[in-house]
């Protein structure tokens, strides 16, 4: 079946613009996670959802970052007033249940802020 | 100090070699441990879970030492296709599925 999909795959934006990154999890997966991955580093946890409820947003760097999953399926990560330091690969993952340890990652969105 | 620390490598080994990666974690309350594999420019994928008693999956063996807060991965009879970055991953306790990733150890297997 289809895996986790993310769009856009690449996004170049100017400093100060808002961006919205989309994640479409594997069908039926109830938990969804957002990570940020810098070059040469492992993924860094940002936030996660069980169904439509945001369970933990402790990893969001500041209040310019927000995420939602209004219907418990597709999720959007929004970054307002982007800064150059926001440039990174943003990865989404999903898991089948709220207690599944295996997370399936999407291909990521490469964000470049100029 | 990082929550999960790994030697970044790279480890350059010939085909057929045995190679071992180590990882340490700082949170003694961590409850579950994993190794993920990430190929160049691809997404991470679960390689194997790590159990207290140690576990093996084909050529791969994972060990956990809770007292020393140390995790290892041993790869026997290395193949060219094993070339990748190996990420040590710890599940934060508290009932939430919050995974903490190490920075990864890069392995390059050459003919």
């Amino acid at each position: 079946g289809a895996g986790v999909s993310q769009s856009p795959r690449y996004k170049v934006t100017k400093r100060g613009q808002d961006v919205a990154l989309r994640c479409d999890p594997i069908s039926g997966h109830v938990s969804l996670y957002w990570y940020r991955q810098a070059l040469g580093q492992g993924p860094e946890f940002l936030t996660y959802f069980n169904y439509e409820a945001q369970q933990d947003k402790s990893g969001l760097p500041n209040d310019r970052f927000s995420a939602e999953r209004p219907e418990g399926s597709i999720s959007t990560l929004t970054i307002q007033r982007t800064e150059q330091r926001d440039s990174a690969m943003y990865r989404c993952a999903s898991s089948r249940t709220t207690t599944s340890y295996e997370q399936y990652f999407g291909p990521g969105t490469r964000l470049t802020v100029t | 100090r990082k929550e999960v620390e790994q030697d970044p490598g790279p480890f350059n080994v010939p085909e057929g070699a045995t190679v071992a990666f180590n990882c340490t974690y700082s949170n003694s309350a961590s409850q579950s441990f994993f190794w993920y594999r990430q190929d160049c420019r691809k997404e991470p994928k679960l390689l194997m879970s790590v159990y207290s008693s140690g576990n093996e999956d084909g050529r791969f063996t994972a060990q956990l030492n809770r007292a020393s807060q140390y995790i290892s991965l041993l790869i026997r009879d290395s193949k060219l296709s094993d070339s990748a970055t190996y990420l040590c991953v710890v599940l934060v306790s508290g009932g939430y599925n919050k995974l903490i990733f190490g920075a990864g150890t890069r392995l390059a297997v050459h003919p």
Side-chain angles (χ1 to χ4, degrees), chain A residues 31-99:
Chain A
S31 297
L32 183 147
Y33 310 81
W34 283 101
Y35 294 87
R36 179 169 67 176
Q37 186 170 19
L39 203 60
Q41 298 296 314
E44 174 195 15
F45 172 84
L46 296 178
T47 186
Y48 93 98
F49 296 82
N50 284 340
Y51 302 95
E52 72 283 356
Q54 192 169 18
Q55 298 293 323
D56 184 338
K57 53 182 181 179
S58 62
L60 295 176
N62 52 60
D63 60 9
R64 295 186 298 106
F65 287 73
S66 63
E68 63 174 10
R69 193 187 185 200
E71 296 177 2
S73 180
I74 293 168
S75 176
T76 303
L77 177 70
T78 301
I79 309 173
Q80 296 179 310
R81 305 181 302 282
T82 52
E83 302 178 5
Q84 284 191 319
R85 59 180 171 153
D86 299 334
S87 296
M89 176 71 83
Y90 288 82
R91 293 196 184 275
C92 173
S94 69
S95 61
R96 192 171 56 84
T97 72
T98 60
T99 55

Side-chain angles (χ1 to χ4, degrees), chain B residues 56-77:
Chain B
E56 193 173 301
D57 182 0
R59 297 181 293 107
F60 298 82
T61 300
Q63 296 276 356
L64 167 64
N65 183 323
R66 285 189 185 271
S68 303
Q69 296 180 204
Y70 171 98
I71 306 159
S72 66
L73 177 68
L74 181 79
I75 305 175
R76 290 182 300 279
D77 187 24

Side-chain angles (χ1 to χ4, degrees), chain A residues 33 37 58 98 100 103, chain B residues 36 38 42-43 96-98:
Chain A
Y33 310 81
Q37 186 170 19
S58 62
T98 60
S100 304
Q103 296 183 14
Chain B
Y36 272 67
Q38 186 168 23
K42 297 287 190 182
E43 65 273 21
Y96 304 119
N97 288 354
K98 180 176 173 181

